[in-house]
Amino acid sequence: NIKYIIEYNGSFWHSNPLGDYRGFLPEDAVIAKDDKKKNAAIKRGFRYKTVWDTDDFNLVRKQILKEIGNML
């Protein structure tokens, strides 16, 4: 009912703003694909949160739980 998507991205396969992309597709194509997926979800009324493998997991978890708690 809360329509909340959490996507966990690894820097190897996705173009992390902090760098270290080493995937097999051109970086621009990966960015375009990720943006298209995110925009499609938002257009359908979902909240969309991207979590990176470089993020502080405990901090992100607290933020997500707070956001979800505010929606309930």
Side-chain angles (χ1 to χ4, degrees), residues 42-59:
I42 291 170
K43 187 183 282 188
R44 288 171 177 78
F46 287 87
R47 291 180 187 239
Y48 195 94
K49 177 77 171 179
T50 303
V51 178
W52 291 95
D53 59 349
T54 55
D55 288 344
D56 178 336
F57 179 75
N58 289 322
L59 177 62

Side-chain angles (χ1 to χ4, degrees), residues 9-29:
N9 285 344
S11 299
F12 183 91
W13 296 107
H14 297 270
S15 183
N16 187 333
L18 298 177
D20 201 29
Y21 172 74
R22 295 173 288 168
F24 299 106
L25 298 174
E27 190 172 15
D28 290 345

Side-chain angles (χ1 to χ4, degrees), residues 5 7 9 14 28-44 46 48 50:
I5 294 173
E7 180 167 10
N9 285 344
H14 297 270
D28 290 345
V30 173
I31 292 170
K33 181 180 176 184
D34 287 343
D35 285 346
K36 183 178 179 181
K37 180 174 37 175
K38 178 180 178 179
N39 291 334
I42 291 170
K43 187 183 282 188
R44 288 171 177 78
F46 287 87
Y48 195 94
T50 303

